[in-house]
Amino acid sequence: MSDCLFCKIVDGSIPSIKVYEDDHVLAFMDIFPLTKGHTLLIPKKHHENVFDMNSEDAGQLFSVAPKIASAIKASFNPAGLNLLNNNGAPAGQSVFHFHLHFIPRYDQTDGFKATWQTKEKQLTTDLVTKYADKIKSQLSI
Ligand code: 5GP
Ligand code: ZN
């Protein structure tokens, strides 16, 4: 897509510091890293978000994820690593070309916090089952 930042990184018209590339995906360093080694993995083909991807696209991308994660672990020996993917502006997406964040974690003061407060009390089994049934009915489409 011509006005997409990450498509421009793929075609080289915007520079990036690459760590991995194959026919389908590209991994490069985040320009505003949350922690040391923060890396992004993207499909080369433009997909706005997860809803825009099919199993084949996702398979090509996620099959590379363990390799990238292991390379980051071997490089920096983080205490942990978060994989993060934001879909849609309300979910925190700011670049609308699918990307998977690899955020190595060092300690509680490393600058990254993913917290959520439970606004509702634990739901009844009946209600959770209804939610599950709704999702399952959509999966069988
Ligand atoms: P999002 O908020 O969409 O999940 O994440 C977008 C990420 O892209 C951010 O972490 C941001 O730092 C990174 N980013 C934005 N512009 C550029 C850029 O031009 N080059 C690189 N390498 N990363 C970018
Ligand atoms: Zn794009």
Side-chain angles (χ1 to χ4, degrees), residues 1-16 18 21 26 28 42-48 52 95-99:
M1 216 173 86
S2 59
D3 59 348
C4 169
L5 183 64
F6 285 176
C7 281
K8 287 180 182 163
I9 283 180
V10 171
D11 73 21
S13 56
I14 289 181
S16 67
K18 297 177 186 175
E21 181 169 15
L26 173 67
F28 56 99
I42 66 170
K44 287 189 167 175
K45 208 164 40 160
H46 181 85
H47 297 290
E48 182 169 325
D52 195 24
V95 177
F96 294 90
H97 178 130
F98 182 97
H99 49 283

mmCIF file of all heavy atoms in Angstrom, residues 1-16 18 21 26 28 42-48 52 95-99:
data_model
loop_
_atom_site.group_PDB
_atom_site.id
_atom_site.type_symbol
_atom_site.label_atom_id
_atom_site.label_comp_id
_atom_site.label_asym_id
_atom_site.label_seq_id
_atom_site.Cartn_x
_atom_site.Cartn_y
_atom_site.Cartn_z
ATOM 1 N N MET A 1 0.858 -1.194 0.000
ATOM 2 C CA MET A 1 0.000 0.000 0.000
ATOM 3 C C MET A 1 0.890 1.239 0.000
ATOM 4 O O MET A 1 1.820 1.322 0.799
ATOM 5 C CB MET A 1 -0.882 -0.019 1.244
ATOM 6 C CG MET A 1 -2.257 0.534 0.991
ATOM 7 S SD MET A 1 -3.300 0.291 2.429
ATOM 8 C CE MET A 1 -2.885 1.738 3.374
ATOM 9 N N SER A 2 0.606 2.173 -0.870
ATOM 10 C CA SER A 2 1.569 3.245 -1.133
ATOM 11 C C SER A 2 1.790 4.191 0.055
ATOM 12 O O SER A 2 2.885 4.712 0.231
ATOM 13 C CB SER A 2 1.122 4.054 -2.346
ATOM 14 O OG SER A 2 -0.161 4.585 -2.098
ATOM 15 N N ASP A 3 0.736 4.397 0.883
ATOM 16 C CA ASP A 3 0.945 5.347 1.980
ATOM 17 C C ASP A 3 1.169 4.649 3.323
ATOM 18 O O ASP A 3 0.997 5.251 4.382
ATOM 19 C CB ASP A 3 -0.235 6.326 2.077
ATOM 20 C CG ASP A 3 -1.541 5.590 2.318
ATOM 21 O OD1 ASP A 3 -1.557 4.343 2.178
ATOM 22 O OD2 ASP A 3 -2.532 6.247 2.675
ATOM 23 N N CYS A 4 1.586 3.390 3.273
ATOM 24 C CA CYS A 4 1.806 2.637 4.512
ATOM 25 C C CYS A 4 3.296 2.659 4.884
ATOM 26 O O CYS A 4 4.153 2.287 4.073
ATOM 27 C CB CYS A 4 1.313 1.209 4.337
ATOM 28 S SG CYS A 4 1.814 0.111 5.674
ATOM 29 N N LEU A 5 3.553 3.085 6.108
ATOM 30 C CA LEU A 5 4.926 3.183 6.608
ATOM 31 C C LEU A 5 5.686 1.855 6.502
ATOM 32 O O LEU A 5 6.840 1.814 6.040
ATOM 33 C CB LEU A 5 4.860 3.633 8.069
ATOM 34 C CG LEU A 5 6.140 3.893 8.823
ATOM 35 C CD1 LEU A 5 6.902 5.047 8.214
ATOM 36 C CD2 LEU A 5 5.844 4.149 10.291
ATOM 37 N N PHE A 6 5.042 0.771 6.934
ATOM 38 C CA PHE A 6 5.757 -0.511 6.946
ATOM 39 C C PHE A 6 5.893 -1.093 5.537
ATOM 40 O O PHE A 6 6.866 -1.813 5.264
ATOM 41 C CB PHE A 6 5.088 -1.496 7.914
ATOM 42 C CG PHE A 6 5.356 -1.176 9.379
ATOM 43 C CD1 PHE A 6 4.759 -1.918 10.390
ATOM 44 C CD2 PHE A 6 6.213 -0.136 9.747
ATOM 45 C CE1 PHE A 6 5.008 -1.633 11.739
ATOM 46 C CE2 PHE A 6 6.464 0.165 11.093
ATOM 47 C CZ PHE A 6 5.858 -0.585 12.086
ATOM 48 N N CYS A 7 4.957 -0.794 4.631
ATOM 49 C CA CYS A 7 5.161 -1.194 3.224
ATOM 50 C C CYS A 7 6.391 -0.474 2.669
ATOM 51 O O CYS A 7 7.154 -1.046 1.883
ATOM 52 C CB CYS A 7 3.928 -0.871 2.383
ATOM 53 S SG CYS A 7 2.576 -2.060 2.566
ATOM 54 N N LYS A 8 6.585 0.773 3.113
ATOM 55 C CA LYS A 8 7.769 1.523 2.644
ATOM 56 C C LYS A 8 9.047 0.928 3.235
ATOM 57 O O LYS A 8 10.096 0.940 2.589
ATOM 58 C CB LYS A 8 7.631 3.005 3.016
ATOM 59 C CG LYS A 8 6.594 3.710 2.157
ATOM 60 C CD LYS A 8 6.455 5.166 2.526
ATOM 61 C CE LYS A 8 5.376 5.805 1.657
ATOM 62 N NZ LYS A 8 4.885 7.064 2.171
ATOM 63 N N ILE A 9 8.957 0.418 4.445
ATOM 64 C CA ILE A 9 10.121 -0.279 5.022
ATOM 65 C C ILE A 9 10.390 -1.555 4.214
ATOM 66 O O ILE A 9 11.542 -1.872 3.899
ATOM 67 C CB ILE A 9 9.891 -0.551 6.525
ATOM 68 C CG1 ILE A 9 10.114 0.768 7.288
ATOM 69 C CG2 ILE A 9 10.795 -1.665 7.044
ATOM 70 C CD1 ILE A 9 9.944 0.703 8.780
ATOM 71 N N VAL A 10 9.333 -2.272 3.834
ATOM 72 C CA VAL A 10 9.506 -3.493 3.028
ATOM 73 C C VAL A 10 10.151 -3.160 1.690
ATOM 74 O O VAL A 10 11.091 -3.848 1.263
ATOM 75 C CB VAL A 10 8.145 -4.216 2.808
ATOM 76 C CG1 VAL A 10 8.288 -5.342 1.792
ATOM 77 C CG2 VAL A 10 7.596 -4.761 4.120
ATOM 78 N N ASP A 11 9.691 -2.077 1.030
ATOM 79 C CA ASP A 11 10.253 -1.801 -0.318
ATOM 80 C C ASP A 11 11.554 -0.991 -0.247
ATOM 81 O O ASP A 11 12.163 -0.693 -1.275
ATOM 82 C CB ASP A 11 9.208 -1.152 -1.241
ATOM 83 C CG ASP A 11 8.889 0.305 -0.906
ATOM 84 O OD1 ASP A 11 9.698 0.981 -0.238
ATOM 85 O OD2 ASP A 11 7.818 0.787 -1.334
ATOM 86 N N GLY A 12 11.976 -0.636 0.964
ATOM 87 C CA GLY A 12 13.278 0.013 1.142
ATOM 88 C C GLY A 12 13.253 1.522 0.976
ATOM 89 O O GLY A 12 14.283 2.187 1.114
ATOM 90 N N SER A 13 12.077 2.101 0.709
ATOM 91 C CA SER A 13 12.032 3.564 0.528
ATOM 92 C C SER A 13 12.149 4.291 1.873
ATOM 93 O O SER A 13 12.463 5.471 1.923
ATOM 94 C CB SER A 13 10.792 4.002 -0.255
ATOM 95 O OG SER A 13 9.615 3.555 0.368
ATOM 96 N N ILE A 14 11.883 3.573 2.974
ATOM 97 C CA ILE A 14 12.197 4.085 4.324
ATOM 98 C C ILE A 14 13.193 3.097 4.932
ATOM 99 O O ILE A 14 12.968 1.883 4.874
ATOM 100 C CB ILE A 14 10.929 4.195 5.201
ATOM 101 C CG1 ILE A 14 10.060 5.346 4.685
ATOM 102 C CG2 ILE A 14 11.272 4.405 6.669
ATOM 103 C CD1 ILE A 14 8.801 5.567 5.496
ATOM 104 N N PRO A 15 14.307 3.613 5.472
ATOM 105 C CA PRO A 15 15.312 2.695 6.000
ATOM 106 C C PRO A 15 14.867 2.004 7.299
ATOM 107 O O PRO A 15 14.027 2.540 8.034
ATOM 108 C CB PRO A 15 16.517 3.608 6.270
ATOM 109 C CG PRO A 15 15.961 4.987 6.365
ATOM 110 C CD PRO A 15 14.677 5.028 5.595
ATOM 111 N N SER A 16 15.418 0.833 7.529
ATOM 112 C CA SER A 16 15.164 0.135 8.796
ATOM 113 C C SER A 16 16.387 -0.704 9.110
ATOM 114 O O SER A 16 17.213 -0.969 8.237
ATOM 115 C CB SER A 16 13.931 -0.775 8.670
ATOM 116 O OG SER A 16 14.193 -1.827 7.768
ATOM 117 N N LYS A 18 17.345 -4.171 9.844
ATOM 118 C CA LYS A 18 16.720 -5.494 9.699
ATOM 119 C C LYS A 18 17.477 -6.561 10.494
ATOM 120 O O LYS A 18 18.703 -6.503 10.589
ATOM 121 C CB LYS A 18 16.719 -5.907 8.227
ATOM 122 C CG LYS A 18 15.899 -4.997 7.347
ATOM 123 C CD LYS A 18 15.992 -5.414 5.889
ATOM 124 C CE LYS A 18 15.272 -4.379 5.037
ATOM 125 N NZ LYS A 18 15.391 -4.623 3.596
ATOM 126 N N GLU A 21 14.880 -11.712 7.252
ATOM 127 C CA GLU A 21 14.027 -11.506 6.079
ATOM 128 C C GLU A 21 13.911 -12.817 5.317
ATOM 129 O O GLU A 21 14.890 -13.551 5.172
ATOM 130 C CB GLU A 21 14.678 -10.434 5.192
ATOM 131 C CG GLU A 21 13.888 -10.095 3.962
ATOM 132 C CD GLU A 21 14.420 -8.848 3.245
ATOM 133 O OE1 GLU A 21 15.563 -8.418 3.549
ATOM 134 O OE2 GLU A 21 13.683 -8.328 2.397
ATOM 135 N N LEU A 26 9.421 -9.904 7.341
ATOM 136 C CA LEU A 26 10.597 -9.082 7.639
ATOM 137 C C LEU A 26 10.589 -8.761 9.133
ATOM 138 O O LEU A 26 9.538 -8.425 9.689
ATOM 139 C CB LEU A 26 10.505 -7.776 6.829
ATOM 140 C CG LEU A 26 11.554 -6.697 7.101
ATOM 141 C CD1 LEU A 26 12.938 -7.172 6.663
ATOM 142 C CD2 LEU A 26 11.189 -5.406 6.360
ATOM 143 N N PHE A 28 12.565 -6.317 11.989
ATOM 144 C CA PHE A 28 13.456 -5.159 12.101
ATOM 145 C C PHE A 28 13.296 -4.532 13.478
ATOM 146 O O PHE A 28 12.319 -4.780 14.189
ATOM 147 C CB PHE A 28 13.167 -4.131 10.988
ATOM 148 C CG PHE A 28 11.736 -3.649 10.933
ATOM 149 C CD1 PHE A 28 11.379 -2.439 11.504
ATOM 150 C CD2 PHE A 28 10.751 -4.413 10.316
ATOM 151 C CE1 PHE A 28 10.059 -1.991 11.458
ATOM 152 C CE2 PHE A 28 9.424 -3.973 10.262
ATOM 153 C CZ PHE A 28 9.084 -2.765 10.835
ATOM 154 N N ILE A 42 6.856 -8.439 10.637
ATOM 155 C CA ILE A 42 5.707 -8.068 9.799
ATOM 156 C C ILE A 42 5.620 -8.991 8.566
ATOM 157 O O ILE A 42 6.630 -9.509 8.096
ATOM 158 C CB ILE A 42 5.790 -6.589 9.324
ATOM 159 C CG1 ILE A 42 6.986 -6.369 8.380
ATOM 160 C CG2 ILE A 42 5.858 -5.635 10.504
ATOM 161 C CD1 ILE A 42 6.980 -4.997 7.697
ATOM 162 N N PRO A 43 4.390 -9.137 8.031
ATOM 163 C CA PRO A 43 4.278 -9.779 6.720
ATOM 164 C C PRO A 43 4.721 -8.773 5.666
ATOM 165 O O PRO A 43 4.488 -7.567 5.821
ATOM 166 C CB PRO A 43 2.774 -10.081 6.604
ATOM 167 C CG PRO A 43 2.108 -9.089 7.492
ATOM 168 C CD PRO A 43 3.082 -8.724 8.576
ATOM 169 N N LYS A 44 5.347 -9.254 4.604
ATOM 170 C CA LYS A 44 5.739 -8.320 3.544
ATOM 171 C C LYS A 44 4.512 -7.786 2.797
ATOM 172 O O LYS A 44 4.492 -6.653 2.353
ATOM 173 C CB LYS A 44 6.710 -8.996 2.581
ATOM 174 C CG LYS A 44 8.100 -9.176 3.182
ATOM 175 C CD LYS A 44 9.093 -9.645 2.158
ATOM 176 C CE LYS A 44 10.505 -9.501 2.716
ATOM 177 N NZ LYS A 44 11.519 -10.054 1.807
ATOM 178 N N LYS A 45 3.517 -8.652 2.677
ATOM 179 C CA LYS A 45 2.267 -8.251 2.027
ATOM 180 C C LYS A 45 1.481 -7.360 2.993
ATOM 181 O O LYS A 45 1.464 -7.633 4.192
ATOM 182 C CB LYS A 45 1.464 -9.515 1.711
ATOM 183 C CG LYS A 45 0.540 -9.404 0.534
ATOM 184 C CD LYS A 45 0.054 -10.765 0.002
ATOM 185 C CE LYS A 45 -0.283 -11.826 0.990
ATOM 186 N NZ LYS A 45 -1.141 -12.904 0.547
ATOM 187 N N HIS A 46 0.846 -6.316 2.489
ATOM 188 C CA HIS A 46 0.095 -5.428 3.374
ATOM 189 C C HIS A 46 -1.159 -6.108 3.914
ATOM 190 O O HIS A 46 -2.027 -6.535 3.161
ATOM 191 C CB HIS A 46 -0.310 -4.140 2.643
ATOM 192 C CG HIS A 46 -1.058 -3.196 3.535
ATOM 193 N ND1 HIS A 46 -0.418 -2.304 4.370
ATOM 194 C CD2 HIS A 46 -2.381 -3.047 3.784
ATOM 195 C CE1 HIS A 46 -1.321 -1.634 5.072
ATOM 196 N NE2 HIS A 46 -2.517 -2.064 4.729
ATOM 197 N N HIS A 47 -1.217 -6.225 5.234
ATOM 198 C CA HIS A 47 -2.438 -6.639 5.929
ATOM 199 C C HIS A 47 -2.609 -5.634 7.051
ATOM 200 O O HIS A 47 -1.680 -5.426 7.833
ATOM 201 C CB HIS A 47 -2.304 -8.027 6.549
ATOM 202 C CG HIS A 47 -2.080 -9.120 5.557
ATOM 203 N ND1 HIS A 47 -3.056 -9.537 4.688
ATOM 204 C CD2 HIS A 47 -0.998 -9.881 5.293
ATOM 205 C CE1 HIS A 47 -2.579 -10.509 3.934
ATOM 206 N NE2 HIS A 47 -1.329 -10.732 4.272
ATOM 207 N N GLU A 48 -3.768 -5.035 7.129
ATOM 208 C CA GLU A 48 -3.951 -3.981 8.126
ATOM 209 C C GLU A 48 -3.839 -4.521 9.550
ATOM 210 O O GLU A 48 -3.198 -3.921 10.410
ATOM 211 C CB GLU A 48 -5.311 -3.311 7.921
ATOM 212 C CG GLU A 48 -5.555 -2.163 8.879
ATOM 213 C CD GLU A 48 -6.774 -1.355 8.506
ATOM 214 O OE1 GLU A 48 -7.046 -1.204 7.296
ATOM 215 O OE2 GLU A 48 -7.446 -0.863 9.433
ATOM 216 N N ASP A 52 -7.508 -9.103 8.825
ATOM 217 C CA ASP A 52 -7.239 -8.994 7.394
ATOM 218 C C ASP A 52 -6.345 -10.153 6.900
ATOM 219 O O ASP A 52 -5.979 -10.193 5.731
ATOM 220 C CB ASP A 52 -6.511 -7.637 7.223
ATOM 221 C CG ASP A 52 -6.447 -7.152 5.805
ATOM 222 O OD1 ASP A 52 -7.306 -7.561 5.014
ATOM 223 O OD2 ASP A 52 -5.534 -6.375 5.498
ATOM 224 N N VAL A 95 0.366 1.852 13.786
ATOM 225 C CA VAL A 95 0.784 1.632 12.394
ATOM 226 C C VAL A 95 -0.116 0.517 11.851
ATOM 227 O O VAL A 95 -0.128 -0.595 12.392
ATOM 228 C CB VAL A 95 2.267 1.223 12.289
ATOM 229 C CG1 VAL A 95 2.639 0.932 10.839
ATOM 230 C CG2 VAL A 95 3.175 2.321 12.856
ATOM 231 N N PHE A 96 -0.849 0.837 10.784
ATOM 232 C CA PHE A 96 -1.914 -0.063 10.352
ATOM 233 C C PHE A 96 -1.449 -1.030 9.257
ATOM 234 O O PHE A 96 -2.044 -1.150 8.195
ATOM 235 C CB PHE A 96 -3.154 0.761 9.979
ATOM 236 C CG PHE A 96 -3.706 1.440 11.211
ATOM 237 C CD1 PHE A 96 -3.275 2.715 11.569
ATOM 238 C CD2 PHE A 96 -4.564 0.761 12.060
ATOM 239 C CE1 PHE A 96 -3.725 3.308 12.738
ATOM 240 C CE2 PHE A 96 -5.013 1.343 13.235
ATOM 241 C CZ PHE A 96 -4.600 2.621 13.580
ATOM 242 N N HIS A 97 -0.355 -1.698 9.586
ATOM 243 C CA HIS A 97 0.174 -2.842 8.821
ATOM 244 C C HIS A 97 0.523 -3.848 9.911
ATOM 245 O O HIS A 97 1.325 -3.531 10.807
ATOM 246 C CB HIS A 97 1.409 -2.378 8.031
ATOM 247 C CG HIS A 97 2.099 -3.444 7.228
ATOM 248 N ND1 HIS A 97 2.410 -3.262 5.892
ATOM 249 C CD2 HIS A 97 2.582 -4.665 7.567
ATOM 250 C CE1 HIS A 97 3.040 -4.341 5.441
ATOM 251 N NE2 HIS A 97 3.164 -5.208 6.451
ATOM 252 N N PHE A 98 -0.065 -5.036 9.850
ATOM 253 C CA PHE A 98 0.088 -6.012 10.932
ATOM 254 C C PHE A 98 1.541 -6.106 11.398
ATOM 255 O O PHE A 98 2.469 -6.186 10.585
ATOM 256 C CB PHE A 98 -0.361 -7.397 10.456
ATOM 257 C CG PHE A 98 -0.274 -8.440 11.538
ATOM 258 C CD1 PHE A 98 -1.390 -8.784 12.274
ATOM 259 C CD2 PHE A 98 0.937 -9.059 11.835
ATOM 260 C CE1 PHE A 98 -1.302 -9.741 13.286
ATOM 261 C CE2 PHE A 98 1.034 -10.008 12.849
ATOM 262 C CZ PHE A 98 -0.094 -10.347 13.566
ATOM 263 N N HIS A 99 1.742 -6.119 12.712
ATOM 264 C CA HIS A 99 3.091 -6.328 13.254
ATOM 265 C C HIS A 99 3.000 -7.002 14.608
ATOM 266 O O HIS A 99 2.105 -6.748 15.395
ATOM 267 C CB HIS A 99 3.883 -5.021 13.349
ATOM 268 C CG HIS A 99 3.143 -3.909 14.000
ATOM 269 N ND1 HIS A 99 2.163 -3.191 13.350
ATOM 270 C CD2 HIS A 99 3.220 -3.391 15.243
ATOM 271 C CE1 HIS A 99 1.670 -2.278 14.168
ATOM 272 N NE2 HIS A 99 2.287 -2.381 15.331
#
